[in-house]
Amino acid sequence: MQHRSQPLSDCRPVRSDAGIVAAAMSIAGSDSSGGAGIQADLQAFSFFGVYGTTAVTAVTAQSPSKVTAVEPLSPQTVERQIQVVCGELNIGAAKTGMLHSAEIIEAVDRTLARYHGLPLVVDPVLQSQSGAQLLEDDAVQTLTRRLLPRATVITPNLGEAEMITGGGIENGEQMKAAAQEIAQRYGTWVLLKGGHRDAGASDTAEDILCNGSELWCVRTPWCSPETTHGTGCALSAAVTAALSRGWGTLDAVKNAKAYVYGCLR
């Protein structure tokens, strides 16, 4: 496997001044505080000059520090949202975030099967940063069986990657091994987010990108914002926006990482 290191300190996202050039879809939950979920996704789409559409899977009552209520929509309603948007708009790429239940995952998978070749970014959301459960226990297997094989890019954090692989991740080498395992298992790109693994021990924040045969370490300078609420949503949405504009996956990830770093600063 080739191993590449990509510094991003001088990287800047590209934004078109020529108007809307593409459309993307977010299939995710609504965050009443505006920092994550559908709201964060639409902000990322807009930054990249992409027209944002949505299929809301659940409504939450939350703040940056806690989730107090989750009310899922019916699988039928989620399916209809995707159908009516994709039926009339030229969606360049889609992403999934909070899906909540096995029934909603099945509805999303069933509907997306009608749109062959649509790039899909799957953020396998299990719980909020405050620890609130956002995916029911019996839905994990459905997610890995039905949706991950459909993905163009999967963006797990460390805990989600451990769930997918069934093994622990305690250091950089295990991160690389986990990213490669997931990429090869599902025939996809994997962006494994390092999160706070090296908090205080390194001056860079490092994610691992793997396409099954090649591997990149994607780094930005470390920063300590007051909150990191919604950064995972923003990252996967930025990748989706870039893909919808026809960018290659590596360029999409580099610019998405730079976008999130700019938001945190």
Side-chain angles (χ1 to χ4, degrees), residues 201-253:
S202 173
D203 59 358
T204 60
E206 181 175 283
D207 300 334
I208 302 298
L209 177 68
C210 184
N211 63 4
S213 59
E214 296 178 285
L215 183 148
W216 295 262
C217 297
V218 191
R219 299 187 180 98
T220 55
W222 182 263
C223 59
S224 300
E226 292 184 8
T227 178
T228 57
H229 178 63
T231 50
C233 300
L235 182 65
S236 58
V239 172
T240 305
L243 292 177
S244 75
R245 297 188 58 169
W247 297 4
T249 304
L250 181 57
D251 283 338
V253 168

Side-chain angles (χ1 to χ4, degrees), residues 7-262:
L8 291 186
S9 57
D10 297 324
C11 187
R12 295 293 182 272
V14 177
R15 183 174 183 178
S16 171
D17 293 323
I20 295 170
V21 295
M25 168 173 275
S26 170
I27 306 168
S30 170
D31 173 5
S32 57
S33 72
I38 290 284
Q39 288 83 350
D41 294 348
L42 290 176
Q43 291 175 36
F45 291 169
S46 177
F47 182 88
F48 282 86
V50 171
Y51 182 75
T53 68
T54 64
V56 180
T57 60
V59 175
T60 70
Q62 66 175 292
S63 69
S65 62
K66 60 183 177 181
V67 178
T68 62
V70 176
E71 185 71 29
L73 275 70
S74 72
Q76 294 77 17
T77 300
V78 175
E79 184 171 356
R80 287 168 187 160
Q81 291 178 84
I82 301 171
Q83 284 179 339
V84 71
V85 172
C86 291
E88 295 198 17
L89 297 178
N90 184 22
I91 303 300
K95 66 150 286 186
T96 63
M98 173 188 176
L99 297 176
H100 186 70
S101 69
E103 292 77 16
I104 290 177
I105 294 171
E106 290 169 351
V108 170
D109 175 65
R110 182 170 59 246
T111 311
L112 291 178
R114 304 171 188 173
Y115 306 101
H116 299 289
L118 178 67
L120 178 66
V121 178
V122 175
D123 186 4
V125 176
L126 297 182
Q127 63 181 22
S128 70
Q129 290 184 3
S130 63
Q133 185 170 348
L134 301 179
L135 184 68
E136 295 177 346
D137 291 337
D138 63 356
V140 174
Q141 185 176 0
T142 305
L143 178 73
T144 57
R145 187 181 74 252
R146 296 286 294 270
L147 210 55
L148 296 191
R150 188 176 298 285
T152 306
V153 183
I154 304 172
T155 63
N157 59 29
L158 295 178
E160 291 156 355
E162 289 177 335
M163 176 274 293
I164 295 170
T165 62
I169 303 175
E170 298 180 358
N171 54 54
E173 291 305 312
Q174 289 177 343
M175 279 185 66
K176 296 169 189 176
Q180 183 181 16
E181 178 181 343
I182 297 170
Q184 292 179 344
R185 181 185 302 180
Y186 297 105
T188 184
W189 289 75
V190 172
L191 177 60
L192 177 51
K193 298 171 288 189
H196 300 293
R197 182 179 62 85
D198 291 327
S202 173
D203 59 358
T204 60
E206 181 175 283
D207 300 334
I208 302 298
L209 177 68
C210 184
N211 63 4
S213 59
E214 296 178 285
L215 183 148
W216 295 262
C217 297
V218 191
R219 299 187 180 98
T220 55
W222 182 263
C223 59
S224 300
E226 292 184 8
T227 178
T228 57
H229 178 63
T231 50
C233 300
L235 182 65
S236 58
V239 172
T240 305
L243 292 177
S244 75
R245 297 188 58 169
W247 297 4
T249 304
L250 181 57
D251 283 338
V253 168
K254 287 163 57 180
N255 281 275
K257 178 79 167 175
Y259 167 73
V260 172
Y261 174 65

